[in-house]
């Protein structure tokens, strides 16, 4: 636990200073609450087997409850972005791949293409290629793709849901899922679309 605290403090300092690199291997720290919970359970069973039920049900159980409620990060952060930004990023990808403008496709064509790409394990883009082709990737598209790359680098339990503002259709949801997978997110975040107009709310059931 002390090593985990030291690592977290170093990571925070790196963010504040804009530096990189770490003096501590992630093999020496806890990165998921289940790792720590398993050790707490082992300690609890050991205490019970030794007849020390008082210690087993005391502060140790309080720690386990806190860990269960708050994890290692106290609270997972949600990511939120407007649906138009995701469509712009996917449109940049299809134009870069020579497939035409995604934004010009009808909804069914979008869904068919997205579904095919999601079920395929073939990556659409090499990492960072968006920074090398400004003729296809605008600054906002690059920013969106970089955010998904950042998500892929986060540790388990640190992020919660991916919230889509101004969602209007099923393709808005699949855009986010595809961008997560293509960025290498091993455990994609739960996608939560927000339908923020009366028309979108009335059509939300179909989406």
């Amino acid at each position: 636990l002390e090593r985990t605290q030291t690592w977290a403090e170093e990571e925070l300092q790196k963010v504040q200073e804009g530096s990189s690199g770490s003096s501590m291997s992630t093999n020496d720290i806890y990165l998921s609450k289940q790792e720590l919970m398993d050790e707490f359970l082992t300690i609890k069973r050991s205490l019970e087997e030794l007849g020390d039920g008082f210690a087993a049900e005391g502060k140790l159980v309080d720690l386990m409850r806190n860990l269960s409620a708050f994890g290692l990060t106290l609270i997972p952060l949600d990511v939120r972005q407007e649906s138009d930004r995701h469509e712009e990023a996917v449109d940049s990808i299809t134009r870069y791949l020579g497939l035409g403008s995604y934004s010009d496709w009808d909804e069914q064509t979008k869904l068919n293409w997205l579904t095919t790409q999601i079920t395929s394990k073939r990556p659409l883009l090499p990492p960072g290629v968006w920074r090398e082709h400004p003729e296809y990737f605008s600054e906002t598209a690059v920013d969106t793709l970089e955010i998904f790359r950042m998500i892929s680098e986060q540790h388990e339990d640190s992020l919660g849901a991916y919230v889509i503002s101004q969602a209007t259709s099923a393709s808005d949801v699949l855009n986010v899922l595809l961008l997560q997978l293509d960025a290498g997110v091993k455990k994609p975040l739960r996608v939560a679309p927000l339908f923020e107009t009366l028309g979108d709310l009335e059509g939300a059931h179909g989406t």
Side-chain angles (χ1 to χ4, degrees):
L1 281 174
E2 289 180 352
R3 288 196 297 270
T4 301
Q5 180 180 346
T6 300
W7 172 84
E9 290 171 348
E10 287 184 357
E11 290 294 302
L12 178 59
Q13 185 174 2
K14 281 165 46 182
V15 171
Q16 294 171 336
E17 297 176 350
S19 58
S20 60
S22 177
S23 60
M24 185 176 298
S25 169
T26 54
N27 294 326
D28 299 327
I29 64 175
Y30 295 110
L31 291 177
S32 74
K33 68 178 183 181
Q34 192 57 53
E35 289 178 322
L36 183 54
M37 184 64 77
D38 289 342
E39 297 207 6
F40 282 163
L41 289 170
T42 299
I43 294 170
K44 187 173 184 295
R45 283 193 299 268
S46 179
L47 289 170
E48 289 170 342
E49 290 171 359
L50 293 171
D52 197 347
F54 179 80
E57 297 298 328
K59 288 186 177 181
L60 178 59
V61 169
D62 290 339
L63 286 171
M64 293 170 68
R65 287 171 178 160
N66 287 337
L67 179 62
S68 179
F70 303 111
L72 292 173
T73 57
L74 295 183
I75 185 169
L77 296 178
D78 291 341
V79 181
R80 180 168 176 169
Q81 186 57 275
E82 291 187 1
S83 60
D84 288 348
R85 290 286 293 271
H86 308 132
E87 178 162 327
E88 178 192 25
V90 176
D91 181 76
S92 298
I93 292 172
T94 60
R95 289 188 294 105
Y96 171 77
L97 295 175
L99 302 176
S101 175
Y102 173 85
S103 296
D104 292 339
W105 300 351
D106 60 44
E107 178 67 5
Q108 190 57 54
T109 301
K110 290 179 179 178
L111 292 176
N112 291 342
W113 184 80
L114 289 166
T115 302
T116 299
Q117 301 309 315
I118 288 169
T119 55
S120 171
K121 296 184 178 181
R122 182 182 70 251
L124 291 169
L125 296 174
V129 70
W130 47 83
R131 292 188 294 270
E132 303 168 4
H133 294 277
E135 68 274 22
Y136 295 109
F137 300 94
S138 67
E139 289 184 8
T140 51
V142 168
D143 181 66
T144 300
L145 293 168
E146 292 285 357
I147 288 173
F148 282 98
R149 179 61 57 180
M150 176 274 296
I151 292 172
S152 73
E153 297 170 352
Q154 302 311 300
H155 301 295
E156 186 178 352
D157 301 328
S158 61
L159 298 176
Y162 195 109
V163 181
I164 309 173
S165 298
Q166 301 294 334
T168 62
S169 62
S171 62
D172 288 336
V173 177
L174 294 184
N175 284 338
V176 172
L177 180 56
L178 175 62
L179 290 171
Q180 288 191 75
L181 293 173
D182 201 57
V185 180
K186 295 182 176 62
K187 186 179 179 181
L189 305 183
R190 175 175 57 89
V191 180
L194 296 183
F195 301 97
E196 299 173 278
T197 68
L198 179 59
D200 294 336
L201 284 170
E202 290 174 342
H205 177 73
T207 300

